[in-house]
Amino acid sequence: MTEQSLLRPKRGALDATQAKRGLPFWALTLILIGCAVLVIVAWLLAPWVAEDDTAAPIGIQLINEGATRNFAPMWLIPIGAFLLIYAALPRLFYPYLQLLSIPFRLLPALIGIGSINVVRVAPLPLKKPRSGSGRALHTLADVLSAPLRLRPVRYTPPPISAKAARNSGLLMLLSLLYFWLYQGQILPSLLAALSALGIGFWVVFAVALAVINIWRITPEEAQPIVEEIVERREGGLMPPESALARTLRARRVTASGWSSAFFLANVVGLVALIVLLLNIINQSFGYAVVNYAIKPSELSPDKPLETLSEAELARLLEDKVNRNRLRAIVRDNLLGRQFSQIRLSGAQVINIFPERAFDPERSDQTFSRALGDKRFSTLNARELVTVFSLGLGIPRESLENEPISVAFSGKAFNPAIADKKLSELSILEAAELLAANAPRPQVTVDYLLGDPIEKLFEGRNFRPEVAEKRYDELAIGEYIDLLEDNLDTTQLYRIILRDVAQLRYDRAWTLIESLTNYQGILAEKEASDTLREGDLQFKAWLSLDFILTELTASPATTGLRTSLIGSLWVIILTILIALPLGVGAAVYLEEYAEKNLLNAVIETNIRNLAGVPSIIYGMLGLAIFVRALEQLTSGAFIGITDSNGRTVISAAFTMALLILPVVIINAQEAIRAVPSSIREASYGVGATKWQTTARQVLPAAFPGILTGLILSVSRAIGETAPLLVVGGLTFTLIDPNGPFSKFSVVPIQIYSWTADPATGFRNVAAAAIITLLIVLLLLNTTAIVLRQRLSKSLRG
Amino acid sequence: MTLETSVETAGFRTAADRLAGATDAYSSLNKRPRPFEELIRLSLFFCALVSVLTTLGIVVVLSTEALNFFTRYGFRSAEQLLIQPVSAEDTILYFDGKGGVPRVGQIIRLNEEDMRVLRLIDNRTFEVERGVLGSRPEPHRANTTLFLGEQVSIIEFLTGTRWVPQGADFGVLALVMATLITSLVAMLVAGPIGLGAAIFISEYASARLRGILKPILEILAAIPTVVYGYFALTFITPLLRNIFWQSEIGAYNQLSAGLAMGIMIIPTIASISEDALSAVPRSLREGSYGLGATRRETVFRVLIPAALSGILAAFILGVSRAVGETMIVAIASGAGPNFSLNPLEAAETMTGHIARISTGDLSFNSVDYNSLFAIGLTLFAITLVLNLISNLIRRRFREVYQ
């Protein structure tokens, strides 16, 4: 970084091409260590034993054993961070140390001796291995055991350089800024430092440069100097040595200033990454106040709730829940919260005759608002008359007084009811009558009254005696039968926890707050009436349970399984579509295409497609796959009826188009890298073009193709916008089970949870983000390992 | 004799046979028809064609749906009532003349029926063509409200600053402005930092340091954008509120979305600029050092001018990523279009609006559905223009070294 090294060839200039090939092996090690750290953190913070839910995890318990039950005072954190960074990047802090050592250096100078006793870290008595992983391990051991290797040594301090003093001043200023900003909030001040570094530093530099420019001498001032120079040159004299030295010094100051600025630009990126990850971990763990509408111990005083059998749980539901609530519970858990109300309980009057919607101008011809909102199945005799007379245009008097055969003469009706009056009909008969005469074909008996159980629960378990009944007619016992027949004990338990005990989190604290401010948390809990009733417990929002549980509407019980399965389906189908198309296109462009206009257009087009915003692909998918090809993508052509075009397969096609350019470009590069000698040899022994391509070129290019594919897939897994447009659901209860099912994916869940301001959703989102990032890390690591392995075997 | 002849003949035949064989062998060297190979070639060509079809699909879909948007009618009440009932055949309508008056040729609507105004007899009496646009003539009672049909004109779309679909206001500038502001903030962060990082990595860092820094930037690039959105909402916004603007800044604002987007774009700009800087031949650097220039002087006076095309292209690519970025703004920038120059306010960008409107079961053929494609077309046009400019700059400023 110094100007002294100007003439030395840049280190590593020669292996620039090597560096481009990808992550070096140590980076891989770093990633793996990162994974391991994440896992350890998760393990440390996850509830230790499931039996006692309220206990803090063992790691926290150990930490909190101290008298104050605080893990660490706040000031330990910056010091710890400083020490960690120091261990990792000692070079960064040399100037600091130099500055700190000034008194020590001054002292010997004052008392006239040349050296002093100082404490230094003795070198690790192990040879540093050359290979990457061994080296990384060595470094790790070095850092970890450093405190054990402090030795007093005789130290002769080097003279303090001007540069060191300046840099340390800069660092001091930055840390002052940091501590000034630091007012009990560690993360905000970290980002403040980040933004100060990022934006502030550049502003300062711009201003400084401007000032320097202002201070530059004007032409008038320069005139005598120029004349002097001309005079000296003519006289064979150069400027004096001191002038040269001054200029040189000024130039070096600017140069080193800029070099720090360029370095800081990188630091900003690094800090941003660290803060981003810390913020997510910070949100995924921490104390939370858990509260119940009815405590589980009250629900089942004799036995713990989680040990009850299915029958006992069902009895509990029967005792504690009223019919309306049960009706909603069954709907939410078996059919989905957003299940069509019309299929469930039948149409509203307004749905049946939309043209008769309330209009103050024509109040005698339209339904009143209240009547319009009523469901057909709940109408009384008077209201039925109004609906029939306005809807079908039959005079009121005739409906009230005359039998059906007269009132409906010329219209369709069942002969069995011909002699009854409208008011004497059962609601089912009325529905049949209306369906037979309705102007629109979609008005059927099922539309008016809701689907019967056998249609609602098609493919699920239900007792034969309720098959014909409508959903709203069921008795309490029959609702519970439905739950019992379709769910297992754990699911029932969760339902009771969520819907009966109504487990909820009233307040959640971040990890840092939990570790450093336990007293404050206790005080806050005691100060509030609602919080005081609940139990304070350490909640690991990220846990195996969270990953394996299905999606629910409450952050306390929700899980990631539904959307994980959705992501899996979409990605697998995407690969199945994109891989053959992408490789085919790459083979064509590299092996077959002649140089003509068409192929040039294809090539340019692929490169331009990579720059199209992903949401545009979503709109393409919406118009083509969801809408135009609905017959195919909804599965209607193979007889699936309960779906529209917003399915897994539409999403997969959209995603495949999105990643196709990247797959093609990567595959092209891989194919191009196959030496032509392999092709020539293959042609030489008489192979055809396709034989050569399929048996020689593609196997040789396979590692590159695979790496490109994995990298683009890891991109696709995190992609949200196009799937949102194509119709990924933000809430669904049914795990996708095929290409034609509706779906949600992990990023969409993260989006919808993040957008929800209720307590707990952000924490759940953070937990989902960690899961997603781990999946991405694993995928990327796989890609790198594959690339290393396969390219080695190819070369060998 | 016979024997000899036969032997000769045999000999002759063998030679002839050989010759014939040779000719056969020779002719077999000609290209043989290989239907299977042709089939393969064709199917591979089809694979390559898919990308062209994708582009075509995007252009066709966006433009046809946008065309639907510009040709469909929105109806606004004219605050006028019919004073005489009309039968299905009447073509002269009498109104109370209290509200807005249609133009000749404009579409008007009474109840379910659309009509076209043929002649204005006076301000309250119109002659109309009944039952246009696929509706059926039907009788109307007195006191029926008159609705005036209006199409969204392209001019209005491109220059309007209010986007209120319920009020038939479709001014895309309200959305474009938010896109511009968030992108500007993003570029203010990502531009200098990305370029600085690129310069450091390519000019200052040792091979070892480069090996550390590049992967870190790559990790930043690999993080899904929804995570950046989360970061913006749960970290940057509270931070800005705590430190800089306690009360002026809302829970949703364009500034934090822009900042997060800036961090997201850093690796894009850094890696492309770094490629451009590394492509400058070493002889130029050596020459500069040989003249006694410092590193900074070399960077600013030699390398940046030489790599300008690549760096500018990187910046423009960064802008085009910022413009097309969806999830960060959808999460952190707020819902609801807002034409405002203040980055501390919430405002919805083009992409954010598309994402919000299209979430859930959006019904086809609704105004919302069609308007999405008009916005999408605008977005596509903007990114296309940016890409073209980037190509142009690359060509215009390219310094060719061998």
Side-chain angles (χ1 to χ4, degrees):
Chain A
M1 263 183 260
T2 56
E3 300 294 328
Q4 282 90 341
S5 61
L6 272 183
L7 294 178
R8 204 175 58 201
K10 209 168 72 182
R11 258 190 301 161
L14 289 177
D15 55 19
T17 46
Q18 235 172 356
K20 271 196 166 177
R21 220 174 269 155
L23 286 176
F25 194 74
W26 70 261
L28 181 65
T29 323
L30 207 66
I31 289 169
L32 288 175
I33 292 177
C35 285
V37 168
L38 277 181
V39 170
I40 291 171
V41 168
W43 172 79
L44 188 71
L45 297 176
W48 181 239
V49 191
E51 285 166 23
D52 187 3
D53 233 15
T54 54
I58 196 82
I60 301 300
Q61 277 181 9
L62 289 177
I63 288 166
N64 280 347
E65 278 306 301
T68 59
R69 276 179 64 92
N70 269 348
F71 162 50
M74 213 44 200
W75 51 265
L76 263 183
I77 291 182
I79 293 182
F82 176 88
L83 289 177
L84 266 181
I85 299 174
Y86 168 60
L89 294 168
R91 238 170 224 236
L92 194 64
F93 290 91
Y94 277 174
Y96 233 153
L97 292 184
Q98 277 203 331
L99 196 79
L100 289 177
S101 68
I102 285 177
F104 297 101
R105 287 188 240 173
L106 282 178
L107 197 66
L110 283 178
I111 57 177
I113 48 169
S115 52
I116 48 166
N117 275 331
V118 293
V119 177
R120 287 188 103 178
V121 181
L124 199 66
L126 285 172
K127 200 171 163 234
K128 197 160 190 173
R130 276 201 183 164
S131 78
S133 56
R135 225 176 143 83
L137 271 179
H138 183 279
T139 315
L140 196 67
D142 192 5
V143 170
L144 289 180
S145 65
L148 301 175
R149 290 182 282 114
L150 295 176
R151 304 270 181 279
V153 287
R154 203 90 183 134
Y155 173 64
T156 315
I160 306 162
S161 73
K163 188 185 170 214
R166 197 175 52 240
N167 282 359
S168 22
L170 188 69
L171 275 172
M172 287 291 218
L173 272 179
L174 283 177
S175 36
L176 271 181
L177 178 76
Y178 169 78
F179 282 107
W180 172 65
L181 291 169
Y182 158 64
Q183 288 158 345
Q185 289 154 312
I186 174 93
L187 281 178
S189 42
L190 266 183
L191 199 93
L194 176 140
S195 41
L197 295 187
I199 307 165
F201 205 82
W202 289 93
V203 171
V204 168
F205 255 82
V207 171
L209 283 185
V211 169
I212 290 171
N213 277 327
I214 291 168
W215 279 350
R216 268 192 189 157
I217 46 178
T218 59
E220 290 83 10
E221 289 170 333
Q223 196 54 42
I225 304 176
V226 172
E227 279 166 12
E228 191 195 357
I229 291 175
V230 169
E231 197 182 299
R232 279 169 183 246
R233 192 173 284 162
E234 280 163 2
L237 288 165
M238 286 301 286
E241 197 63 33
S242 62
L244 272 181
R246 220 176 26 246
T247 338
L248 201 57
R249 205 161 53 235
R251 283 169 63 202
R252 279 186 183 163
V253 169
T254 352
S256 74
W258 276 102
S259 89
S260 339
F262 294 141
F263 179 67
L264 277 176
N266 280 281
V267 174
V268 171
L270 180 69
V271 171
L273 182 64
I274 293 173
V275 173
L276 186 105
L277 297 179
L278 277 184
N279 176 46
I280 291 163
I281 293 177
N282 192 23
Q283 302 268 1
S284 317
F285 305 95
Y287 282 109
V289 171
V290 61
N291 227 334
Y292 299 93
I294 312 173
K295 294 222 158 150
S297 54
E298 291 170 25
L299 277 179
S300 151
D302 317 326
K303 276 207 236 167
L305 198 55
E306 53 269 34
T307 59
L308 296 184
S309 70
E310 191 160 349
E312 285 169 316
L313 288 171
R315 208 171 316 122
L316 203 99
L317 271 178
E318 203 163 348
D319 291 347
K320 299 282 179 187
V321 185
N322 66 26
R323 189 168 168 281
N324 258 343
R325 179 116 195 91
L326 205 55
R327 183 184 166 280
I329 290 177
V330 174
R331 180 199 65 197
D332 289 357
N333 290 288
L334 298 182
L335 300 170
R337 183 167 293 246
Q338 288 144 337
F339 193 81
S340 154
Q341 276 295 327
I342 291 181
R343 289 189 58 196
L344 207 60
S345 352
Q348 290 169 311
V349 172
I350 203 80
N351 301 132
I352 310 170
F353 298 108
E355 67 277 10
R356 298 283 169 189
F358 178 69
D359 180 352
E361 307 279 328
R362 305 181 296 148
S363 55
D364 55 329
Q365 288 189 15
T366 53
F367 300 122
S368 71
R369 284 222 169 84
L371 181 60
D373 287 345
K374 274 202 158 182
R375 301 212 167 270
F376 184 78
S377 52
T378 61
L379 298 179
N380 61 29
R382 242 185 76 76
E383 289 165 338
L384 266 183
V385 169
T386 318
V387 170
F388 272 82
S389 73
L390 285 183
L392 301 181
I394 304 171
R396 228 189 140 80
E397 303 75 44
S398 145
L399 283 172
E400 274 167 359
N401 305 321
E402 290 165 0
I404 299 295
S405 53
V406 181
F408 282 75
S409 61
K411 294 195 157 81
F413 59 89
N414 184 349
I417 57 167
D419 296 334
K420 292 186 183 172
K421 284 188 200 161
L422 185 59
S423 55
E424 295 161 2
L425 295 184
S426 74
I427 197 75
L428 183 65
E429 287 166 333
E432 278 169 354
L433 187 60
L434 183 55
N437 293 299
R440 289 179 302 149
Q442 75 176 96
V443 178
T444 61
V445 176
D446 286 349
Y447 180 81
L448 293 171
L449 299 179
D451 286 356
I453 297 295
E454 56 184 346
K455 267 173 90 180
L456 278 181
F457 291 88
E458 209 175 352
R460 285 159 180 263
N461 305 323
F462 55 87
R463 311 253 161 118
E465 61 265 26
V466 295
E468 298 278 311
K469 286 192 173 179
R470 312 275 161 186
Y471 187 69
D472 287 341
E473 298 167 6
L474 297 185
I476 290 191
E478 288 166 334
Y479 282 124
I480 290 178
D481 287 345
L482 274 176
L483 281 179
E484 245 187 296
D485 293 346
N486 286 300
L487 302 176
D488 60 26
T489 317
T490 9
Q491 283 169 315
L492 264 185
Y493 167 68
R494 284 214 189 93
I495 288 175
I496 289 183
L497 213 56
R498 183 177 71 234
D499 293 320
V500 185
Q502 293 179 26
L503 167 73
R504 63 173 197 271
Y505 289 95
D506 286 336
R507 172 86 167 87
W509 287 272
T510 62
L511 181 60
I512 288 186
E513 284 168 336
S514 305
L515 289 180
T516 59
N517 194 16
Y518 185 72
Q519 302 300 340
I521 290 175
L522 280 185
E524 188 181 337
K525 178 173 177 294
E526 287 311 311
S528 150
D529 287 340
T530 47
L531 296 185
R532 203 178 304 135
E533 284 165 19
D535 298 323
L536 188 66
Q537 66 166 244
F538 193 88
K539 169 83 178 163
W541 298 92
L542 174 67
S543 62
L544 201 59
D545 211 31
F546 167 72
I547 294 174
L548 296 181
T549 311
E550 70 274 13
L551 193 66
T552 69
S554 142
T557 48
T558 193
L560 205 56
R561 191 186 71 212
T562 314
S563 46
L564 261 181
I565 295 178
S567 275
L568 213 64
W569 268 107
V570 172
I571 287 303
I572 289 175
L573 286 175
T574 304
I575 295 176
L576 287 183
I577 298 164
L579 185 64
L581 278 180
V583 175
V587 167
Y588 176 78
L589 290 174
E590 286 304 312
E591 302 286 321
Y592 287 82
E594 292 127 29
K595 275 203 169 173
N596 58 27
L597 189 67
L598 179 63
N599 295 325
V601 166
I602 294 179
E603 189 100 10
T604 331
N605 181 55
I606 289 172
R607 271 158 183 71
N608 280 336
L609 266 185
V612 174
S614 62
I615 197 163
I616 299 282
Y617 283 96
M619 304 183 75
L620 176 73
L622 179 66
I624 303 251
F625 301 125
V626 175
R627 191 177 176 195
L629 300 178
E630 185 169 4
Q631 281 297 310
L632 298 178
T633 52
S634 68
F637 73 107
I638 53 164
I640 294 173
T641 50
D642 62 337
S643 183
N644 53 22
R646 300 173 202 268
T647 52
V648 169
I649 192 83
S650 300
F653 270 110
T654 310
M655 226 39 157
L657 290 188
L658 175 68
I659 66 170
L660 206 51
V662 187
V663 174
I664 294 177
I665 291 171
N666 272 302
Q668 267 185 294
E669 265 166 28
I671 292 173
R672 215 175 293 148
V674 174
S676 63
S677 54
I678 291 185
R679 291 188 190 87
E680 308 293 340
S682 176
Y683 291 138
V685 295
T688 63
K689 190 149 204 162
W690 174 241
Q691 284 164 344
T692 307
T693 310
R695 297 185 197 163
Q696 305 302 329
V697 178
L698 280 183
F702 183 66
I705 294 175
L706 203 61
T707 320
L709 181 75
I710 295 178
L711 289 179
S712 48
V713 160
S714 76
R715 184 106 240 156
I717 288 184
E719 198 61 75
T720 323
L723 294 186
L724 213 53
V725 178
V726 169
L729 299 168
T730 48
F731 189 83
T732 170
L733 286 156
I734 302 158
D735 291 344
N737 54 7
F740 302 111
S741 43
K742 292 169 161 284
F743 69 101
S744 171
V745 293
V746 178
I748 289 186
Q749 274 320 309
I750 296 175
Y751 166 61
S752 83
W753 282 333
T754 306
D756 199 321
T759 307
F761 275 116
R762 299 234 165 117
N763 307 76
V764 172
I769 288 177
I770 295 186
T771 319
L772 182 65
L773 287 184
I774 289 178
V775 170
L776 289 183
L777 260 182
L778 288 179
L779 266 182
N780 282 326
T781 319
T782 320
I784 293 158
V785 171
L786 272 179
R787 179 160 56 183
Q788 302 248 337
R789 282 280 157 77
L790 293 175
S791 64
K792 235 176 244 171
S793 72
L794 188 69
R795 252 185 263 134
Chain B
M1 177 71 193
T2 337
L3 192 72
E4 270 182 8
T5 327
S6 69
V7 168
E8 264 173 40
T9 337
F12 176 73
R13 276 214 186 120
T14 332
D17 280 354
R18 273 198 203 138
L19 198 64
T23 8
D24 270 357
Y26 180 75
S27 67
S28 78
L29 283 181
N30 283 335
K31 200 169 176 185
R32 255 188 283 163
R34 291 184 188 275
F36 179 68
E37 292 277 325
E38 268 312 300
L39 195 69
I40 295 269
R41 193 192 136 84
L42 270 180
S43 51
L44 291 178
F45 176 68
F46 167 75
C47 291
L49 215 56
V50 167
S51 70
V52 178
L53 292 179
T54 310
T55 315
L56 276 182
I58 290 176
V59 172
V60 169
V61 161
L62 288 181
S63 13
T64 50
E65 295 289 346
L67 200 68
N68 281 344
F69 173 70
F70 288 118
T71 51
R72 75 179 290 149
Y73 284 92
F75 288 93
R76 217 187 300 211
S77 167
E79 317 273 332
Q80 285 226 50
L81 299 177
L82 200 61
I83 48 174
Q84 274 186 21
V86 283
S87 70
E89 288 83 33
D90 289 345
T91 56
I92 309 285
L93 308 178
Y94 299 93
F95 289 92
D96 60 6
K98 284 176 187 151
V101 179
R103 298 182 308 273
V104 173
Q106 193 172 9
I107 300 291
I108 59 174
R109 172 178 278 188
L110 289 172
N111 294 330
E112 305 278 297
E113 185 193 345
D114 294 335
M115 315 169 190
R116 177 174 287 117
V117 178
L118 296 179
R119 195 153 63 92
L120 292 180
I121 295 161
D122 60 40
N123 264 354
R124 40 206 295 188
T125 319
F126 319 136
E127 186 182 349
V128 295
E129 181 190 348
R130 302 292 300 272
V132 296
L133 300 180
S135 62
R136 258 185 319 179
E138 46 187 54
H140 302 286
R141 291 145 39 88
N143 287 338
T144 309
T145 316
L146 168 70
F147 285 90
L148 300 182
E150 268 166 23
Q151 287 174 320
V152 183
S153 76
I154 295 187
I155 304 289
E156 190 190 323
F157 177 76
L158 290 178
T159 57
T161 56
R162 273 165 53 81
W163 184 278
V164 189
Q166 298 80 20
D169 275 332
F170 292 97
V172 82
L173 279 189
L175 303 170
V176 172
M177 182 55 77
T179 298
L180 286 184
I181 289 178
T182 46
S183 307
L184 186 72
V185 173
M187 287 312 291
L188 282 181
V189 175
I193 293 181
L195 183 57
I199 292 175
F200 185 81
I201 291 177
S202 99
E203 301 304 317
Y204 288 82
S206 62
R208 192 190 160 83
L209 196 54
R210 183 180 323 151
I212 299 171
L213 292 176
K214 280 198 81 164
I216 288 174
L217 289 181
E218 276 171 28
I219 293 176
L220 267 185
I223 290 178
T225 56
V226 67
V227 178
Y228 283 105
Y230 182 86
F231 182 61
L233 187 67
T234 63
F235 188 83
I236 300 184
T237 302
L239 181 82
L240 294 175
R241 293 176 84 166
N242 282 343
I243 295 185
F244 300 109
W245 299 276
Q246 268 81 2
S247 52
E248 296 92 63
I249 201 160
Y252 299 99
N253 62 82
Q254 301 166 69
L255 182 62
S256 63
L259 288 176
M261 214 143 82
I263 298 175
M264 181 197 82
I265 299 171
I266 290 176
T268 309
I269 294 187
S271 77
I272 300 179
S273 313
E274 201 243 315
D275 283 348
L277 286 170
S278 307
V280 177
R282 266 188 66 190
S283 56
L284 281 184
R285 287 187 188 83
E286 305 292 348
S288 171
Y289 292 143
L291 286 172
T294 62
R295 261 198 194 169
R296 180 201 64 93
E297 287 157 353
T298 312
V299 165
F300 281 96
R301 307 217 177 129
V302 178
L303 293 178
I304 292 187
L308 193 64
S309 68
I311 292 172
L312 285 178
F315 272 58
I316 289 169
L317 201 71
V319 176
S320 109
R321 275 205 70 183
V323 168
E325 173 47 43
T326 309
M327 292 325 290
I328 298 178
V329 287
I331 291 177
S333 176
N338 175 13
F339 184 81
S340 154
L341 285 171
N342 182 358
L344 302 183
E345 277 179 29
E348 200 165 47
T349 66
M350 292 191 276
T351 50
H353 186 75
I354 296 176
R356 179 169 64 91
I357 295 300
S358 58
T359 308
D361 274 359
L362 174 67
S363 66
F364 305 131
N365 278 333
S366 61
V367 188
D368 278 340
Y369 179 83
N370 284 324
S371 71
L372 285 193
F373 285 88
I375 303 171
L377 189 63
T378 319
L379 182 66
F380 184 67
I382 292 177
T383 48
L384 193 71
V385 168
L386 283 174
N387 281 342
L388 289 181
I389 293 178
S390 144
N391 281 339
L392 211 72
I393 286 179
R394 220 179 272 215
R395 235 170 279 150
R396 165 75 182 73
F397 290 101
R398 170 168 287 169
E399 311 260 342
V400 182
Y401 307 100
Q402 26 177 330

